[in-house]
Amino acid sequence: MQRLLKLKKALKSSVLATSVENFKVIKSATGKYRPMTAFEIQILEKNGNSCDDWTKVLVEPDFDPNRIFRSSFMGDVRLPKFFGTLLLPGDVSVATGIYDCMVHNCIIENALIYKVSMLSNVLVRSSSVVHNVGTLVSSGKINYMVGSSINVGNEMGGREVLVFPELTTELVDLQLFHKAEQGVQDSFVEMLSTYRSELALPFGIVGKGAVVSNTNIIRNSWIGAHARIEGAAKIRNSIIMSSLEESSHVYDSVILENTNVQMGVKVHTGAEVQSSVLMSRCKVGCKAIVKSSIIAPCCHIEEGEVNSSYMGPMTQMHHHSLLIAALWPEGCGNLGYGANVGSNHTGRMPDQEVMPGQGMFFGLGVNIKFPSNFRESPFTLIASGLTTLPQRLKFPFSLIHAGDPQLVGVAPRLNEIVPGWNYAKNAYALDRNAYKYAIRGKGLVPSTFYSIYNPETARLVFDAYNRLQVSNVKDVYTKSDIDGLGENFMRERVRQSAIKTYGEYLERYVLDLMLTLVEGDESLSKQSPRELRKLLGDTNKEIARVVTLPETMDDLVKRYRQLDKEWFDNVSHGLDRDNERGRKIFDDYDSAHPVDKGFMEWERTRLEESAKRLSAFVKNLA
């Protein structure tokens, strides 16, 4: 039932449904139009215009025929009272009207239409500009992919997602990972089918304030209000949602086919997007290819290829890299140059897939063999040039790097894993990502989405912490010794270090839970941390059992302040090693590598706000 409620909510607030109602009102408003006078027709023909049957061209009162030049009209056409001017690209002011165009079966409001070879079955809303366009046409009823399915993960099917223009990440997750009862699924399909029928129009739409310029082909598409389409190569059967506050831009040789584009999206510079959904504030450019994929909000894709994948929020790939058959719901990851996360073909059929974890980083030139499941290893880094074998990895914050082929008792094919490394040694990267995502996702993606201290990550860390407790101590461990190591080995000293790192993570997580608990109910301030542990949920209660709890709440605050300061110091000194190495190589290293002042100010503010929180907490305790 949850998916039905979320679908109903998404459709209820549909901008497109409102636009359809507006279109029906506009089309039925025949009373405000009149036939042209003989004098008006005479002026039109004198200005180089032609029409087989002028009686089919209706106009508004006070229509000015001197706003139309060198154009031909066919079928039923409705024209406005043109007035004022609009800007062409390049900020050239031109009077609204129709110039050098062929117009067939269109409703045109006060807009500027200039040099359009064929404009057919289109509603052009007021204040919009259509300039130097080959064909902008619609034929038949357009479905805009509503209710169509996209296969993500396994290209052969089995993980189908029914899509529509207002698709949300919640609805994608529900369809992918929560199988519905047949009755619920039937109702879901029926609701989308009804919505599809409501949206199906025999007209295309160019929304208010939109600009469509220097574009070759636009067919069976919906251009939202204030969208800017400039220099696109081809747009077919697509919706580009847009608004004054969050306008969408499609420009410079883009091909867009069978795709839903949500608010604030930018597709540019030779990008090709087919049979996909681009959610709000995505950027796809620089010859990137996106096919049969769902791209969640605030993702950036440049030069790479994404195929048959669900890419979670704020994931980025800025270089030539490949992502095929990926299920990445938590996103927030990165693919380096040459990363090949796409070996989904076994030589028999393309039926394999990969599931990266949240915040995962694929280094330069890695080769990820399928099938692989890293979802239980969030915030993991795979070092440059590595080839990883098919596996299931269950250790968060890990570093995977090249193994030692000379190591006795370990297969040469295995890589080495360092669980917890990213948390212990790479605090700068973790917090800088949080800083970037806080800016990029502001107002759209919850600020808690990227938090490394979320309940699910804590559960995974706790599980990994428990599996690291062994009765038989060895120099080296593999998955036959410790579950979840995947196709990697781990040294004993690394195991001990990982236990310490995971323990510190869990300690901070639990202390924060207790602070939040007391902040929500001041009557609990008299209880000790051990007593508060009983009030935590079942999973958190178990996590708290492995944490050494302070005796009093004052001690808890002191310990939390200490952990927070240690984390800040780790972030502040996160580049020390890089800087030391760089200075030995370049004489002017410091001048060419300034401090990221924006991030460090954000980090200091975070520490100050934490200190204020703790001070207020202590004051309330007193």
Side-chain angles (χ1 to χ4, degrees):
M1 290 299 292
Q2 189 180 16
R3 74 180 61 198
L4 296 181
L5 292 173
K6 291 188 181 297
L7 176 59
K8 187 176 181 180
K9 180 181 178 181
L11 299 184
K12 186 177 181 180
S13 58
S14 169
V15 174
L16 300 178
T18 302
S19 296
V20 168
E21 292 304 315
N22 291 339
F23 170 78
K24 292 177 180 177
V25 170
I26 292 169
K27 200 168 190 304
S28 62
T30 55
K32 75 172 186 176
Y33 294 97
R34 62 169 177 80
M36 286 188 292
T37 65
F39 181 67
E40 288 170 334
I41 294 173
Q42 182 181 356
I43 293 175
L44 286 171
E45 291 180 341
K46 180 181 176 182
N47 291 340
N49 302 296
S50 63
C51 180
D52 291 339
D53 187 351
W54 286 112
T55 63
K56 290 187 176 183
V57 179
L58 303 180
V59 298
E60 289 184 353
D62 300 325
F63 166 72
D64 181 0
N66 282 309
R67 292 286 189 125
I68 303 176
F69 287 85
R70 300 175 301 280
S71 298
S72 60
F73 297 88
M74 296 171 285
D76 296 317
V77 177
R78 296 178 189 173
L79 302 176
K81 171 192 172 182
F82 288 113
F83 61 90
T85 62
L86 290 170
L87 294 178
L88 287 174
D91 293 336
V92 178
S93 181
V94 178
T96 60
I98 302 174
Y99 308 90
D100 301 295
C101 298
M102 181 180 292
V103 181
H104 169 258
N105 280 353
C106 289
I107 301 173
I108 297 171
E109 297 181 349
N110 186 39
L112 171 57
I113 305 174
Y114 180 46
K115 288 191 175 180
V116 180
S117 298
M118 171 59 78
L119 184 69
S120 176
N121 294 316
V122 177
L123 165 63
V124 181
R125 301 300 308 272
S126 61
S127 302
S128 60
V129 174
V130 183
H131 160 250
N132 197 27
V133 172
T135 57
L136 202 171
V137 301
S138 298
S139 57
K141 290 192 174 182
I142 312 162
N143 62 61
Y144 302 116
M145 286 188 70
V146 175
S148 299
S149 64
I150 294 179
N151 288 320
V152 295
N154 183 359
E155 285 191 73
M156 301 303 294
R159 297 192 192 272
E160 295 181 345
V161 178
L162 299 180
V163 302
F164 60 100
E166 298 90 348
L167 185 67
T168 65
T169 54
E170 290 178 309
L171 282 168
V172 176
D173 291 345
L174 285 169
Q175 291 186 72
L176 281 176
F177 306 115
H178 303 275
K179 186 173 177 60
E181 296 178 359
Q182 190 59 49
V184 172
Q185 183 63 19
D186 291 344
S187 297
F188 191 86
V189 173
E190 184 179 353
M191 287 175 67
L192 283 177
S193 178
T194 301
Y195 184 56
R196 179 187 179 115
S197 299
E198 291 173 353
L199 286 190
L201 295 177
F203 264 61
I205 292 179
V206 177
K208 290 183 178 181
V211 174
V212 182
S213 177
N214 299 316
T215 294
N216 188 22
I217 299 170
I218 300 179
R219 188 178 185 90
N220 293 348
S221 293
W222 185 317
I223 312 300
H226 304 283
R228 294 189 70 90
I229 316 297
E230 298 186 44
K234 178 169 60 177
I235 300 174
R236 292 180 187 267
N237 195 36
S238 296
I239 281 184
I240 300 172
M241 299 173 67
S242 182
S243 68
L244 179 60
E245 296 76 18
E246 291 202 83
S247 63
S248 293
H249 293 212
V250 178
Y251 56 93
D252 294 350
S253 304
V254 164
I255 294 175
L256 196 67
E257 295 185 295
N258 300 308
T259 291
N260 294 157
V261 174
Q262 295 184 1
M263 301 283 188
V265 169
K266 288 181 171 56
V267 188
H268 64 93
T269 321
E272 181 177 347
V273 185
Q274 296 182 346
S275 304
S276 297
V277 176
L278 304 182
M279 295 189 183
S280 298
R281 294 193 208 163
C282 285
K283 292 183 180 179
V284 181
C286 299
K287 300 182 180 179
I289 298 173
V290 178
K291 294 184 178 180
S292 302
S293 295
I294 299 170
I295 311 300
C298 303
C299 288
H300 291 181
I301 304 171
E302 294 181 351
E303 297 184 331
E305 177 181 348
V306 181
N307 200 326
S308 301
S309 294
Y310 172 35
M311 178 185 277
M314 299 185 290
T315 301
Q316 48 195 339
M317 47 194 299
H318 291 305
H319 307 282
H320 292 288
S321 53
L322 178 65
L323 185 70
I324 292 182
L327 300 170
W328 203 342
E330 290 83 16
C332 299
N334 200 317
L335 286 86
Y337 181 90
N340 173 20
V341 188
S343 58
N344 68 321
H345 207 301
T346 60
R348 294 175 287 277
M349 62 176 70
D351 63 342
Q352 301 302 303
E353 53 200 345
V354 65
M355 191 176 289
Q358 184 178 27
M360 195 163 185
F361 186 95
F362 294 96
L364 302 176
V366 301
N367 287 288
I368 309 300
K369 299 293 184 69
F370 289 15
S372 286
N373 186 348
F374 302 107
R375 196 178 184 187
E376 295 156 296
S377 300
F379 308 105
T380 284
L381 188 154
I382 298 181
S384 299
L386 215 59
T387 295
T388 65
L389 299 173
Q391 61 185 290
R392 182 170 188 168
L393 193 68
K394 298 194 286 186
F395 285 94
F397 299 104
S398 290
L399 167 67
I400 301 177
H401 62 94
D404 182 355
Q406 305 300 320
L407 197 61
V408 177
V410 175
R413 59 188 172 81
L414 296 184
N415 295 312
E416 182 171 4
I417 183 172
V418 185
W421 180 89
N422 226 10
Y423 187 81
K425 303 293 185 181
N426 207 17
Y428 183 94
L430 291 173
D431 264 22
R432 188 169 181 274
N433 282 338
Y435 161 70
K436 291 191 301 181
Y437 295 146
I439 296 172
R440 190 184 306 171
K442 187 175 181 180
L444 183 62
V445 180
S447 58
T448 56
F449 184 82
Y450 179 75
S451 173
I452 62 175
Y453 298 105
N454 65 74
E456 178 59 17
T457 300
R459 184 189 68 79
L460 294 172
V461 170
F462 179 58
D463 179 59
Y465 175 88
N466 287 330
R467 282 183 284 105
L468 286 173
Q469 315 299 322
V470 297
S471 56
N472 182 23
V473 176
K474 304 173 63 175
D475 290 335
V476 176
Y477 303 89
T478 64
K479 65 181 180 181
S480 62
D481 305 302
I482 299 177
D483 179 45
L485 285 177
E487 295 300 314
N488 310 283
F489 70 87
M490 179 180 64
R491 302 174 193 268
E492 167 59 15
R493 57 178 172 78
V494 169
R495 183 187 72 88
Q496 294 179 18
S497 178
I499 290 174
K500 180 177 181 293
T501 298
Y502 285 157
E504 290 176 353
Y505 170 94
L506 295 173
E507 181 184 13
R508 178 165 172 165
Y509 173 76
V510 168
L511 298 189
D512 187 72
L513 283 179
M514 291 183 174
L515 288 171
T516 304
L517 200 62
V518 176
E519 287 170 334
D521 184 354
E522 291 185 5
S523 66
L524 300 175
S525 61
K526 302 300 182 184
Q527 299 195 32
S528 70
R530 292 185 181 182
E531 291 171 327
L532 288 175
R533 180 172 59 191
K534 300 174 184 177
L535 302 178
L536 301 176
D538 290 342
T539 301
N540 289 332
K541 193 183 301 181
E542 291 301 311
I543 293 174
R545 292 187 188 280
V546 304
V547 173
T548 302
L549 296 176
E551 292 294 327
T552 67
M553 291 304 296
D554 283 334
D555 292 337
L556 185 148
V557 170
K558 291 177 182 176
R559 177 58 179 159
Y560 189 88
R561 185 178 281 121
Q562 179 185 354
L563 289 172
D564 214 13
K565 181 61 167 61
E566 289 174 357
W567 181 261
F568 176 79
D569 290 341
N570 287 340
V571 172
S572 300
H573 295 284
L575 296 182
D576 286 356
R577 185 178 176 184
D578 291 348
N579 293 337
E580 182 181 352
R581 179 182 56 199
R583 291 177 190 125
K584 293 177 181 178
I585 298 173
F586 298 104
D587 294 335
D588 62 346
Y589 185 86
D590 287 332
S591 62
H593 295 78
V595 174
D596 187 340
K597 294 181 179 179
F599 165 56
M600 290 311 301
E601 182 61 33
W602 178 88
E603 186 68 22
R604 278 189 289 270
T605 300
R606 184 201 62 76
L607 182 66
E608 290 168 2
E609 289 176 351
S610 178
K612 290 177 183 177
R613 175 198 183 192
L614 295 176
S615 296
F617 187 90
V618 171
K619 185 177 180 180
N620 289 336
L621 283 181

